[in-house]
Amino acid sequence: MDVAFWVLAVVAAAAGVAVFVVDSMARATFALLASLLAVGGIFLLLDLHYLGVLIVLMMVMEMLVMAVFMIMYMMNPAGLMPMTMVHNHRGAIVIAGAVFVLLAAGALLTPWPHRRGAPPADPTHALGLSIMGPKMLVMMVIGVAILATMIATVVLATHRGRYDADRGHGS
Amino acid sequence: MTLQALLVLAAALFAVGLYGALSQQSIVMLMMGLELMINGLIVAGGAFWYFLSPQTPDGQVLVLVAVTVMALEMAMGFAVVTALFRARDVDMTDDASDLQG
């Protein structure tokens, strides 16, 4: 189990780095997919079968949709030339490095409390009872947020959206 | 597999995503950075649930919210990029500074 975890952890982190290193947007999408799938695998190791499978299925679909958009906006489709489009490269690396050191130090130095209780026999059952019971507000907010997103994306994608090209021409 | 190891992985994913969100000029690549940051948050949420309080499903609920946010972020991001691209033929962050004071 430990070997599986370390393999998945290294894959997740390395694929995350690869997203910003590879020379084509399509490759970056699949690197991100690899990172997300490794995290889904880690969830399966944590006995969170429902959430692990949910992450895997959802992210495969999400990255496939992303790949379609990538092809539409694609720069350098075949990766035939270097593709670096960054601003403030050094500053971003310094900030990201400092944040990593800070977070890792916090994770390693904090005296974490001991585990309270044992995982339930069926974590999915516990999650289902929770979101349909005491945490139903979370489920309701998620539902409304998804509906609002659907409406907002359609509104934004129409010709009368935020960046209307005809605005100011009397239309 | 320990809580610390998982949290360090979460920190690494978050930091890599932060680098992307800060440095990338293409809005689509910037969104990939944000996705990686949320990916790190998901790992941390699962780790806290498993190693600190597995009896209550709070960590699982947090992960559920984060996964949903990830999907919504991508949908909204692509809608904005599409609208911007259609109007101006650009998909770079530097060309979309309309709200700059």
Side-chain angles (χ1 to χ4, degrees), chain B residues 4-91:
Chain B
Q4 281 85 353
L6 275 163
L7 289 181
V8 169
L9 170 65
L13 290 172
F14 187 87
V16 173
L18 183 66
Y19 161 75
L22 287 176
S23 69
Q24 295 296 315
Q25 280 184 308
S26 163
I27 300 175
V28 181
M29 294 294 284
L30 184 152
M31 277 161 47
M32 287 181 153
L34 294 177
E35 299 253 320
L36 268 176
M37 289 168 78
I38 302 175
N39 199 16
L41 183 84
I42 288 173
V43 173
F48 281 131
W49 174 82
Y50 188 77
F51 287 102
L52 293 188
S53 67
Q55 225 163 20
T56 51
D58 298 11
Q60 286 197 68
V61 175
L62 178 70
V63 171
L64 198 65
V65 173
V67 171
T68 313
V69 166
M70 220 165 172
L72 300 189
E73 174 248 319
M74 199 194 72
M76 286 304 294
F78 275 125
V80 171
V81 181
T82 304
L84 186 62
F85 191 80
R86 179 182 279 158
R88 298 204 200 141
D89 217 14
V90 295
D91 69 336

Side-chain angles (χ1 to χ4, degrees), chain A residues 54-73:
Chain A
L54 177 78
I55 290 172
V56 169
L57 292 179
M58 206 160 155
M59 294 312 152
V60 167
M61 288 311 296
E62 195 175 324
M63 289 304 125
L64 288 180
V65 173
M66 202 156 186
V68 172
F69 277 92
M70 285 293 176
I71 293 166
M72 292 200 293
Y73 295 118

Side-chain angles (χ1 to χ4, degrees), chain A:
Chain A
M1 188 163 157
D2 267 350
V3 176
F5 166 71
W6 284 111
V7 169
L8 288 171
V10 169
V11 168
V17 173
V19 169
F20 303 109
V21 174
V22 291
D23 275 339
S24 106
M25 277 181 141
R27 284 176 200 163
T29 312
F30 288 110
L32 183 58
L33 177 60
S35 178
L36 292 162
L37 290 185
V39 168
I42 289 174
F43 268 71
L44 293 180
L45 292 180
L46 290 176
D47 291 338
L48 290 169
H49 299 138
Y50 167 69
L51 287 177
V53 173
L54 177 78
I55 290 172
V56 169
L57 292 179
M58 206 160 155
M59 294 312 152
V60 167
M61 288 311 296
E62 195 175 324
M63 289 304 125
L64 288 180
V65 173
M66 202 156 186
V68 172
F69 277 92
M70 285 293 176
I71 293 166
M72 292 200 293
Y73 295 118
M74 193 168 273
M75 275 156 285
N76 193 19
L80 296 175
M81 60 190 88
M83 183 191 78
T84 39
M85 296 168 300
V86 292
H87 48 197
N88 197 15
H89 183 62
R90 186 174 295 176
I93 284 184
V94 169
I95 293 172
V99 166
F100 172 70
V101 169
L102 201 67
L103 288 176
L108 294 173
L109 299 178
T110 305
W112 297 107
H114 288 290
R115 191 188 214 189
R116 272 180 299 154
D122 187 357
T124 310
H125 185 69
L127 175 65
L129 285 181
S130 172
I131 56 176
M132 286 299 142
K135 298 200 186 333
M136 191 180 258
L137 184 62
V138 174
M139 204 60 198
M140 290 165 70
V141 170
I142 288 178
V144 173
I146 292 174
L147 177 66
T149 305
M150 285 156 67
I151 295 171
T153 47
V154 171
V155 169
L156 270 171
T158 60
H159 275 294
R160 292 175 288 116
R162 165 75 174 82
Y163 289 104
D164 184 4
D166 296 330
R167 187 177 298 227
H169 296 288
S171 62

